[in-house]
Amino acid sequence: MNTRSAPAPADPAARRDVEAGPIQVGLLGIGTVGRGTFEVLRRNQDEIRRRAGRGIAITMVADLDAARARAIVGDHARVVADAREVIANPAIEIVVELIGGYGIARQLVLEAIAAGKHVVTANKALLAVHGTEIFQAARDQGVIVAFEAAVAGGIPIIKALREGLTANRIGWIAGIINGTTNFILSEMRSKGLDFATALAQAQALGYAEADPTFDIEGVDAAHKATIMSAIAFGVPMQFDRAHVEGIAALQAADIRYAEQLGYRIKLLGITKRRDDLRSAANPAGGIELRVHPTLIPATRLIANVEGAMNAVVVHGDAVGTTLYYGKGAGAEPTASAVIADLVDITRLASADPDHRVPHLAFQPGELQDTPILPIDEVVTSFYLRLQVADEKGVLARITGILADNDISIDAVLQRPGTEGDGLGAPAAGEGKTDLIILTHDTVEGRMNAALAQMQALPTVLAPIVRIRKEELN
Ligand code: HSE
């Protein structure tokens, strides 16, 4: 009888699996993304093991709805109600946080780090607000916090910014990073719907949450823009300095006028380096960080990103402009990003922490305190719509105010007016007209001064609509 044990497998992945078994993962929360992660990991386990160098298995799941969790994982993983049981299990090397929010999720992530676990999270709100504290805790413990799924779901934008574009001095990023609002804006444009009707459709189709506040007010996009800004420019997360505007006030008339002028309106997350502000006294310059409805030329690829899709444009000095497009939410697209992080950690877990990719792309000691600029100092061009009395000299007075404030006009359009249905029916009553003005770039503070002067004219009959415009050259 041959008593020799079987020879060790030749390939290192199989060898590590035999020696140590698959790396064990604990899931905190098994809702849509958790289920997707569990299913994709099982479906593609062989390919994933060949890439990671070791199998990856979710062996423990914590969820308050234990019955639902068991229905998903069967007998492949132990289900518990208490997340702390997962964190306390010494066999679990990676904790995946899919609870969301700043509350208990922050506590559990910090506890998992303190217990020496690597963490994967899709929680953009948590990182944008508490990222500095979390990354410091992770460095102190020598563990990885990975967050590809936190920005633009399945699009590997964190990987691109942190690694693929690492040669570049990044100039700016502009992204459609909230699918719910992009769906609403697409419906408003293509079907001429007003905001409330398009939102109701988004909710009926399951795109928008029952409480869609974070989406429509731009907060979700601002969380994601904050994370990209930190990675692009090597600054700490500063969500509290972001300027945030949503889409609830957008009117169908402006979407239509924008289209007539060759533009589309998208909710963009924008972050931009302002080297023009650098001087001996201010060597750091400044950074713009803002989310707001934005006119962009209809000919740009990103202007044609419709429905719930996401897209991010990044400009680097060496590479030029690059575009990343895909699904920003959903079970398997987001699982794709979560599992990419699991593979990264599996490959790097045994590496010296100093040899890993830094959380924010720049070495921790190399982060800078470049200020995030107040919105008054942002430079952009504008779309203005003024409802005015159709009288002699009105246009001259308005253009005079813009000139007095050193604001240059790019284009002017005069139309009969949009009162009533907001869809282009002539205004009720005679003697009113809509003036649409596109400007060249100006400092926002200057535009605010001009707007106050224009609004005070007796011939300006309604609140002026002001939407920022970006050419994305
Ligand atoms: N609610 C987000 C969106 C998805 O609509 O894009 C997750 O970030």
Side-chain angles (χ1 to χ4, degrees):
M1 191 174 99
N2 185 355
T3 54
R4 280 190 312 167
S5 55
D11 117 68
R15 223 169 34 231
R16 254 189 288 173
D17 243 7
V18 168
E19 285 162 8
I23 195 162
Q24 294 197 36
V25 178
L27 219 55
L28 309 186
I30 190 157
T32 306
V33 176
R35 177 176 49 79
T37 301
F38 184 82
E39 288 172 358
V40 174
L41 205 45
R42 284 194 62 76
R43 186 170 77 229
N44 296 341
Q45 58 183 313
D46 287 339
E47 296 238 345
I48 290 168
R49 181 192 56 78
R50 286 167 57 211
R51 291 185 173 121
R54 190 175 167 190
I56 299 173
I58 293 171
T59 56
M60 210 169 167
V61 174
D63 201 292
L64 293 175
D65 189 342
R68 183 190 59 180
R70 275 195 202 95
I72 296 168
V73 302
D75 55 8
H76 296 290
R78 187 153 78 85
V79 174
V80 294
D82 181 2
R84 292 190 166 94
E85 273 193 62
V86 175
I87 294 170
N89 182 346
I92 299 289
E93 292 185 54
I94 308 174
V95 168
V96 180
E97 183 273 306
L98 298 173
I99 297 167
Y102 318 104
I104 186 68
R106 170 177 163 271
Q107 202 54 43
L108 293 171
V109 163
L110 289 172
E111 287 177 28
I113 292 169
K117 315 289 185 194
H118 302 291
V119 172
V120 175
T121 179
N123 191 336
K124 54 251 156 191
L126 177 66
L127 294 178
V129 176
H130 298 291
T132 302
E133 175 192 21
I134 288 167
F135 295 133
Q136 182 60 52
R139 274 195 301 281
D140 292 346
Q141 285 294 325
V143 298
I144 300 168
V145 173
F147 52 94
E148 183 63 70
V151 181
I155 305 174
I157 188 65
I158 301 297
K159 192 82 162 176
L161 285 170
R162 213 160 54 171
E163 298 178 51
L165 299 176
T166 199
N168 289 265
R169 189 168 162 80
I170 291 173
W172 54 265
I173 300 173
I176 295 171
I177 44 182
N178 182 269
T180 304
T181 45
N182 201 51
F183 174 83
I184 291 170
L185 293 177
S186 299
E187 292 293 285
M188 287 176 76
R189 186 186 70 79
S190 63
K191 299 186 181 154
L193 302 180
D194 62 19
F195 169 76
T197 310
L199 170 61
Q201 269 195 17
Q203 284 174 312
L205 289 168
Y207 289 120
E209 308 289 332
D211 176 5
T213 314
F214 267 25
D215 292 319
I216 64 177
E217 289 187 353
V219 177
D220 176 73
H223 288 145
K224 297 164 182 168
T226 298
I227 295 172
M228 291 197 290
S229 182
I231 294 174
F233 304 127
V235 296
M237 304 276 187
Q238 294 168 80
F239 171 71
D240 56 337
R241 308 294 305 275
H243 176 83
V244 189
E245 283 174 34
I247 62 165
L250 264 186
Q251 296 176 43
D254 296 304
I255 293 175
R256 191 172 49 80
Y257 282 141
E259 189 131 49
Q260 289 174 19
L261 289 158
Y263 290 86
R264 292 202 177 155
I265 299 179
K266 294 290 186 186
L267 184 72
L268 290 190
I270 297 171
T271 188
K272 199 180 277 190
R273 192 197 287 279
R274 287 285 302 282
D275 280 348
D276 59 304
L277 297 179
R278 284 166 94 182
S279 64
N282 174 25
I287 291 170
E288 296 182 3
L289 176 56
R290 49 193 167 100
V291 170
H292 50 71
T294 315
L295 269 77
I296 51 178
T299 49
R300 298 276 178 268
L301 284 173
I302 192 171
N304 296 282
V305 170
E306 298 286 32
M309 300 302 281
N310 281 200
V312 183
V313 182
V314 183
H315 188 270
D317 64 343
V319 73
T321 302
T322 56
L323 171 68
Y324 309 83
Y325 169 83
K327 290 185 177 155
E332 295 209 355
T334 312
S336 168
V338 169
I339 295 168
D341 281 344
L342 291 174
V343 170
D344 263 359
I345 293 174
T346 304
R347 288 173 178 149
L348 293 169
S350 56
D352 179 338
D354 287 342
H355 296 159
R356 296 176 187 149
V357 180
H359 291 115
L360 294 182
F362 292 73
Q363 297 298 333
E366 299 291 339
L367 294 189
Q368 293 179 339
D369 56 2
T370 315
I372 306 289
L373 297 169
I375 191 68
D376 263 14
E377 291 176 33
V378 158
V379 171
T380 185
S381 53
F382 286 89
Y383 160 102
L384 307 176
R385 173 162 62 88
L386 300 90
Q387 190 190 79
V388 296
D390 197 1
E391 293 170 7
K392 284 194 293 278
V394 171
L395 181 59
R397 269 193 295 279
I398 287 165
T399 56
I401 289 173
L402 290 170
D404 289 348
N405 285 279
D406 207 16
I407 297 168
S408 169
I409 293 172
D410 182 29
V412 179
L413 185 69
Q414 184 169 331
R415 285 290 181 268
T418 56
E419 267 191 350
D421 67 359
L423 297 174
E430 292 298 312
K432 293 177 186 174
T433 189
D434 271 355
L435 266 185
I436 296 96
I437 300 174
L438 301 184
T439 75
H440 289 297
D441 276 354
T442 183
V443 177
E444 177 136 348
R446 217 178 276 159
M447 176 53 81
N448 288 339
L451 281 171
Q453 291 163 28
M454 291 189 285
Q455 193 69 72
L457 293 173
T459 45
V460 172
L461 306 174
I464 299 170
V465 174
R466 179 272 307 266
I467 306 174
R468 298 176 189 86
K469 175 168 86 64
E470 294 284 342
E471 293 297 322
L472 303 181
N473 288 323

